[in-house]
Amino acid sequence: MIDRRNLMAGVAALALLGSVAAAAAEPAEISFAASMLGEPLRGPLLTALVEEFNQSQDAVHVTPVTTPFSSFGTTMFTQMGGGGGPDVIAFDQPNIYAAAEAGLLVSLDEVVDGVTLLPGNNSLIVDGVQYGVALDISNYALIYNPTLVTKVPTTFDELVAEAKAQTKDGVYGFAFRHTQAEEAGVWYDLSNYVYGNGGHWAVDGNPTINSAETIAGVTAYKTLYDANVIPKGADAATYRRMFAEGKIAMMIDNGGIPTVLKGTNPDAAIAAAPAPLPTKAIGQVMAALAINGNSKSPDAAKAFMKWFLTPETQAKVQGFLGGSTAATPIARTKEELEKAPYIEVFDSLGDVALPFMPQGLEAETPQVRNIVVEAVMRVLAGQTDVAAAMNEAQSQVEALR
Amino acid sequence: MSSHSHGTQLARIHGSRWLPYMLVLPGVVYLLVFQGIPLLQEMRLSVSNTSLLNPSRFNFIGVANFSRLLRDPNFFNSIQVTAIYVAGCVIGTIGLGLFAALLMDREFTGRSFVRSLIIIPWAAPPVAIALVFRWMLNGQYGIVNRGLEPLGLMPAEGLWLDNPSLALITVLAITIWQLFPFTAVVILASLQSVPKELKEAAQIDGAGLWAQFHAVTWPVIRPTVALLALLMTIWSIRRFELIWLLTQGGPVGSTNTLVIDLYRRGFIINKLGEAAAVGMVGMAVSVLVTIAYFAVANRATRAEKMR
Amino acid sequence: MTRSEFISHAALVIIFVLAGLAIFPFYWMFVTATTSDANMFAASPQLVPSLSQLGIFAQIFEEGAVKTWLANSFIIAAGTTVLTLALAIPLGYAFARFPFWGKAGVGIGLLVTQMLPEAVLVVPLFSIFSPLGLLNSYAGLILANTAFTLPVITWILKNAFDTVPVEIEEAAVLDGCTGINALVRVVLPVIMPSVAASAVIAFFHGWNEYVFALTFITNDTLKPASVGLAGFIGEISTPIQSVMAVGVVYTLPAVALYLLMQRFIVSGMAAGSVKG
């Protein structure tokens, strides 16, 4: 069944390409922006894939565009607001909502018709319309250094105890993002503890920032911060590098990270386990491909996306994503699993993983994130306690509407 | 002779009374197109709820942005932060610059070498400076903490830019480090015009260093220092990339100056209208400071003439 | 030791300490760039550059992107310099020499535009440039940068022209040198130091500029070094050594240019901006 569907998708892609080709003798020029294109490891592989597409047909020519991760959303929005921007853009999930609500995205319903997508893609449906398709989906889990950690913690208390025991001789037991300068990263890391404690940022558009579960999650985050087990002030780039050098014992991070760590140090010792939190729920991050409403060649962009979703292309994408998955279900190869057994841990979380957005308030994610992270920063600085800070954040978010 | 009579005369000699207009026109048109029109557009934005994603969709909402700002504690915080930052920059750069200039205004071996070294921070790009200071202030491996730890001078948990009570002072210190070379060189140049005879006369009279400075040096360099103060004020209000790349305005808003707040509202939260309103407030503050400066400067000049 | 001897010794010590503080971060950039992976995370820091690691500089140039960034920064900075001077010299000259209708208004305009933060004008400029095809072009950045250098450079040059005695021009005119010729042949050479200082200031502005380049340029081949380097912040896989090495090669040209032109800048500043 799936095979026939995929076959149909492929045929549809070819048909679309044909129609584009018929419309113009010259190949339609489109641009494709993704922060992944600028990464040292996956970037060249993704670029090569795009080049493969360019070689495979004459109707569409795709030019890759790199923009640094830290300023990606802002740069894209500024350009789209000015009536321009790349044709195909790999956005963060919340940006899909903001852009869709502003009427700046093209519906992908026609592109995904007949394609089996992983459930994570459902978070890219806005008002019943599919506006994005995952480039990569990454679930979060406990990543640890097996040469340091011999007894893998299964409860939060064990996690804290193990992190404390590991913190010695220049090694830190744990690491996460905790500085304002990495607001988005703090939001991800913090959300893992909230989800893992059964909490949410919002349910059906009603903020639940001061619910007991959410407060329990923030408290867990603060407990680890106060336990003197993390390298204070280190940003993700620094502590991930430290992990690769054997200076960090554990961290809760996403499935794309082991590949990055191996790239930094091919000998890095890496293993994974589900995060030791009260519930199985955990965070999920993805870059989502969308078509810019300003595009002058939306059909060419659609043809490129169609090709991107074909099983052959998806298998190649999956091949360099490591512990992340592509948009469609692709079986892992045996050698892949032998080389990196931890992949299975990340893959097993697809059904329980939640996006880092307040449910029902997705387009407001940047504001909610800013309010919550500032509140948590005050907590970490000892200026207030968790419950008071979350109560205040709750009323600030309510005032947004 | 006033420049007016010269000008008329010159124009006559040059044979065209249109010459000044021909000279001025390109620059003025340029500024109108690339500063004037965008500024008007930005003013228009400040009374709209335009978002970054639809900058051309104009929806007039009157003074709602401004009244929202008046109720926003973050906005008042950013005004306060801006005031501290600007005052700190002006006092720090001028104080240290004056000090360094006075020290360099004497003969010693290696003087021109030292002067060249000191100017380097001002010549360096802010992006590179932000990067190297982030690294030097790194909590675990930064050279600053590694140097201070044995002395017991490390701040709580080794945090500088991520410490709400130290971030602003750290950003200030980095800014002053980058700008004091500029004020030092400029003050040094104006020190050259202090008459040597007067200094020597004061020395012979047995005046102390401070009395010498007060009676002889200060009157000569005062206009320069005043102008530098204005420049430093305007530059500090405008400064963006150094602060943005160091802290993004955090932690807990402790380095959130008006320009950072503006960028945050406009480009992170996508509310261009609100950002434009912040920008208008920032401009108004700058204009007021400048008017105040010229009012004070004029009065000083008049007082001088009266004497 | 007499009191005045003590003071001058102390002054010497302080001045060398200040100079040390001024250059230490640059020294540290260089040391970090040449630190091996093993020493980077070691218990005690490496304090001097290790010459065996100098290959890092060749390495960053091999990758190509860095070369492109620096070339782009240079083109943008040079373009900004030329355009700024072309507009500011006549403007400053007219301001110093002639009465004309609207002079006060233009003067106030020049002052006000100096106060505008770049961040305020990013979006309106973007929407103006977009239909004109000026995004993703050197021209767009040069035009935007010049809007911000023009007021201050005009001010510096106006003050420099003020110091030139009108008699020089009158003599030149009597010798048969008219109009623009007098400006170019007689007056400009006199204020060359201020022109050089202005050129360097405009060049720095273009070389350092970040916000416009960040928003207007999406094409990799047009990206300047400021944006390229800032992109390393929070980026996972680029080693700190490479980041610092790029920082060094980005800083070096600006500092070298400054040191070369130092004499002009100091006298130009003194003659120009500072006299108010």
Side-chain angles (χ1 to χ4, degrees):
Chain A
M1 182 66 187
I2 285 170
D3 280 342
R4 216 179 94 206
R5 269 192 175 185
N6 284 332
L7 187 71
M8 282 171 61
V11 170
L14 285 175
L16 252 169
L17 276 172
S19 69
V20 172
E26 290 283 295
E29 285 289 341
I30 59 169
S31 50
F32 167 41
S35 59
M36 191 191 280
L37 284 164
E39 292 176 10
L41 291 159
R42 300 186 294 183
L45 296 165
L46 184 58
T47 308
L49 200 64
V50 170
E51 200 39 50
E52 208 173 295
F53 172 72
N54 288 336
Q55 298 296 329
S56 71
Q57 41 75 42
D58 297 323
V60 181
H61 183 266
V62 183
T63 310
V65 175
T66 57
T67 296
F69 172 72
S70 53
S71 52
F72 189 83
T74 301
T75 309
M76 291 305 134
F77 278 6
T78 313
Q79 294 177 350
M80 290 169 79
D87 301 277
V88 178
I89 304 172
F91 270 127
D92 270 356
Q93 279 160 303
N95 288 343
I96 294 275
Y97 284 79
E101 286 193 2
L104 287 175
L105 294 185
V106 172
S107 162
L108 301 181
D109 284 345
E110 179 192 342
V111 173
V112 299
D113 186 36
V115 179
T116 310
L117 293 170
L118 285 169
N121 290 287
N122 293 337
S123 68
L124 304 169
I125 298 173
V126 184
D127 296 332
V129 179
Q130 188 88 39
Y131 281 110
V133 176
L135 169 61
D136 64 328
I137 306 174
S138 309
N139 304 323
Y140 278 67
L142 182 74
I143 300 178
Y144 62 94
N145 180 332
T147 56
L148 294 170
V149 179
T150 45
K151 191 178 157 295
V152 183
T154 53
T155 67
F156 184 70
D157 289 340
E158 283 176 27
L159 176 72
V160 176
E162 182 68 20
K164 279 183 178 165
Q166 291 288 343
T167 305
K168 56 176 190 273
D169 307 331
V171 172
Y172 293 86
F174 204 73
F176 53 64
R177 287 166 287 201
H178 57 279
T179 64
Q180 184 95 49
E182 292 191 287
E183 189 184 288
V186 171
W187 170 253
Y188 293 166
D189 287 351
L190 180 66
S191 298
N192 283 323
Y193 298 90
V194 169
Y195 296 166
N197 277 276
H200 299 276
W201 297 116
V203 176
D204 296 335
N206 300 310
T208 54
I209 295 163
N210 59 352
S211 74
E213 294 83 5
T214 307
I215 287 178
V218 177
T219 306
Y221 176 88
K222 178 179 158 52
T223 305
L224 276 167
Y225 182 86
D226 289 341
N228 286 322
V229 295
I230 68 163
K232 296 270 169 79
D235 61 7
T238 309
Y239 72 66
R240 283 170 180 161
R241 199 167 167 76
M242 287 164 70
F243 187 101
E245 301 289 337
K247 303 285 181 187
I248 302 279
M250 301 177 284
M251 53 190 187
I252 293 179
D253 219 326
N254 74 66
I257 295 304
T259 318
V260 174
L261 299 174
K262 288 281 188 194
T264 315
N265 175 9
D267 304 325
I270 301 168
L277 295 168
T279 78
K280 273 186 133 27
I282 195 76
Q284 175 181 75
V285 70
M286 70 175 72
L289 299 173
I291 297 180
N292 185 348
N294 297 328
S295 171
K296 294 191 178 62
S297 324
D299 287 339
K302 281 180 186 172
F304 172 60
M305 296 260 290
K306 271 275 182 197
W307 172 83
F308 199 83
L309 290 174
T310 56
E312 296 75 33
T313 315
Q314 285 285 298
K316 285 175 189 154
V317 174
Q318 176 98 64
F320 63 73
L321 287 180
S324 310
T325 57
T328 60
I330 301 288
R332 298 281 185 185
T333 63
K334 208 170 162 198
E335 56 174 341
E336 197 180 0
L337 288 175
E338 265 165 23
K339 218 172 75 185
Y342 49 78
I343 285 178
E344 273 181 302
V345 175
F346 293 103
D347 283 354
S348 70
L349 297 164
D351 297 333
V352 290
L354 303 166
F356 293 125
M357 298 186 285
Q359 192 228 325
L361 293 173
E362 287 87 351
E364 275 79 42
T365 305
Q367 283 107 304
V368 176
R369 182 182 80 194
N370 182 247
I371 290 168
V372 169
V373 171
E374 289 231 342
V376 171
M377 288 297 129
R378 280 195 291 275
V379 171
L380 296 188
Q383 294 174 359
T384 179
D385 64 88
V386 177
M390 292 300 112
N391 279 328
E392 172 154 8
Q394 170 83 10
S395 50
Q396 276 177 284
V397 171
E398 280 168 356
L400 281 181
R401 291 177 298 160
Chain B
M1 266 196 279
S2 75
S3 85
H4 188 272
S5 65
H6 269 309
T8 332
Q9 201 182 334
L10 261 181
R12 203 177 53 233
I13 300 170
H14 282 308
S16 165
R17 61 194 190 91
W18 296 113
L19 180 65
Y21 298 97
M22 279 154 31
L23 292 171
V24 167
L25 199 66
V28 168
V29 170
Y30 191 90
L31 285 178
L32 280 179
V33 172
F34 292 107
Q35 293 252 23
I37 295 174
L39 183 62
L40 288 179
Q41 166 77 0
E42 191 74 0
M43 282 179 182
R44 214 171 75 104
L45 284 177
S46 74
V47 291
S48 77
N49 63 357
T50 303
S51 101
L52 179 62
L53 286 155
N54 294 83
S56 48
R57 191 170 61 192
F58 181 76
N59 191 3
F60 182 74
I61 55 163
V63 294
N65 284 327
F66 293 95
S67 57
R68 178 152 343 108
L69 288 183
L70 288 179
R71 278 175 316 196
D72 184 347
N74 286 336
F75 179 67
F76 284 100
N77 173 58
S78 74
I79 287 188
Q80 198 185 341
V81 169
T82 312
I84 298 172
Y85 179 73
V86 171
C89 281
V90 173
I91 295 169
T93 53
I94 297 211
L96 194 57
L98 179 59
F99 182 62
L102 288 171
L103 290 177
M104 286 190 287
D105 187 36
R106 44 173 71 223
E107 297 299 325
F108 60 88
T109 22
R111 178 178 156 193
S112 63
F113 176 68
V114 164
R115 209 168 52 186
S116 303
L117 287 188
I118 280 197
I119 197 68
I120 290 177
W122 184 62
V127 173
I129 288 174
L131 271 165
V132 72
F133 272 96
R134 278 174 67 105
W135 167 239
M136 284 171 48
L137 294 169
N138 179 292
Q140 290 69 46
Y141 307 107
I143 186 66
V144 174
N145 279 348
R146 284 183 163 195
L148 293 180
E149 198 175 8
L151 308 174
L153 289 173
M154 209 169 76
E157 308 190 301
L159 297 182
W160 296 91
L161 293 168
D162 298 306
N163 183 332
S165 47
L166 278 182
L168 182 56
I169 208 127
T170 310
V171 170
L172 250 177
I174 297 170
T175 313
I176 293 169
W177 171 85
Q178 192 188 8
L179 284 180
F180 94 85
F182 174 76
T183 56
V185 167
V186 171
I187 294 174
L188 184 60
S190 86
L191 282 174
Q192 311 302 315
S193 51
V194 175
K196 277 225 162 61
E197 313 82 60
L198 276 184
K199 261 203 263 187
E200 280 156 13
Q203 262 163 355
I204 293 165
D205 287 350
L209 281 178
W210 169 249
Q212 258 184 58
F213 173 77
H214 186 74
V216 181
T217 314
W218 180 244
V220 176
I221 62 168
R222 197 180 59 189
T224 303
V225 171
L227 193 74
L228 279 175
L230 176 68
L231 267 184
M232 289 299 123
T233 307
I234 294 175
W235 288 2
S236 310
I237 294 175
R238 280 173 52 172
R239 187 159 296 109
F240 173 74
E241 56 255 57
L242 188 65
I243 308 178
W244 181 253
L245 294 175
L246 283 172
T247 62
Q248 299 203 349
V252 205
S254 60
T255 56
N256 199 31
T257 62
L258 278 175
V259 173
I260 301 287
D261 195 48
L262 177 165
Y263 190 81
R264 194 170 252 298
R265 284 177 203 263
F267 294 90
I268 305 296
I269 310 181
N270 306 333
K271 290 186 170 171
L272 283 187
E274 243 178 76
V278 174
M280 290 300 118
V281 174
M283 262 212 64
V285 172
S286 297
V287 171
L288 283 179
V289 168
T290 313
I291 290 173
Y293 166 83
F294 281 106
V296 171
N298 273 339
R299 214 175 50 195
T301 330
R302 260 200 312 257
E304 206 103 308
K305 280 185 184 151
M306 300 275 281
R307 234 187 280 163
Chain C
M1 212 193 310
T2 67
R3 188 159 167 266
S4 84
E5 266 175 1
F6 173 75
I7 290 178
S8 75
H9 279 105
L12 212 56
V13 171
I14 296 172
I15 199 71
F16 276 97
V17 168
L18 273 181
L21 283 177
I23 58 159
F24 181 76
F26 304 102
Y27 172 74
W28 199 245
M29 234 196 261
F30 185 68
V31 172
T32 307
T34 62
T35 302
S36 67
D37 272 338
N39 285 358
M40 190 63 73
F41 297 104
S44 62
Q46 176 186 326
L47 292 174
V48 289
S50 60
L51 299 179
S52 61
Q53 301 285 323
L54 279 179
I56 182 93
F57 290 99
Q59 212 177 307
I60 57 166
F61 275 108
E62 264 163 33
E63 278 166 30
V66 175
K67 259 185 290 186
T68 314
W69 293 347
L70 292 172
N72 290 336
S73 289
F74 181 83
I75 294 169
I76 294 162
T80 305
T81 309
V82 171
L83 185 58
T84 303
L85 289 181
L87 292 166
I89 290 175
L91 196 52
Y93 182 63
F95 253 84
R97 284 293 195 255
F98 303 105
F100 56 88
W101 185 84
K103 189 171 177 177
V106 176
I108 291 171
L110 280 176
L111 204 62
V112 170
T113 46
Q114 275 194 59
M115 292 163 210
L116 281 179
E118 284 88 339
V120 172
L121 294 192
V122 167
V123 170
L125 276 177
F126 187 93
S127 56
I128 293 171
F129 281 3
S130 181
L132 299 175
L134 288 170
L135 300 176
N136 270 323
S137 72
Y138 296 128
L141 285 183
I142 291 169
L143 288 169
N145 289 342
T146 301
F148 284 86
T149 49
L150 186 53
V152 68
I153 302 293
T154 302
W155 192 14
I156 292 177
L157 291 177
K158 183 244 171 208
N159 286 319
F161 282 122
D162 274 341
T163 64
V164 182
V166 175
E167 288 73 24
I168 293 187
E169 258 168 289
E170 283 168 354
V173 172
L174 290 176
D175 287 347
C177 197
T178 50
I180 304 292
N181 260 338
L183 165 64
V184 175
R185 292 231 209 115
V186 183
V187 187
L188 269 187
V190 180
I191 63 153
M192 217 49 215
S194 294
V195 175
S198 303
V200 173
I201 292 169
F203 188 90
F204 278 164
H205 188 96
W207 183 264
N208 295 346
E209 203 284 322
Y210 171 69
V211 185
F212 291 137
L214 179 71
T215 13
F216 295 174
I217 301 288
T218 48
N219 189 336
D220 262 350
T221 55
L222 294 174
K223 221 167 262 182
S226 57
V227 176
L229 190 58
F232 285 137
I233 292 181
E235 205 260 317
I236 303 165
S237 334
T238 309
I240 185 84
Q241 291 96 322
S242 308
V243 177
M244 290 296 141
V246 176
V248 169
V249 298
Y250 174 45
T251 306
L252 217 53
V255 170
L257 178 69
Y258 184 90
L259 293 180
L260 261 160
M261 308 286 277
Q262 187 176 194
R263 203 163 53 86
F264 295 121
I265 298 173
V266 173
S267 56
M269 284 277 168
S273 73
V274 161
K275 288 195 67 185

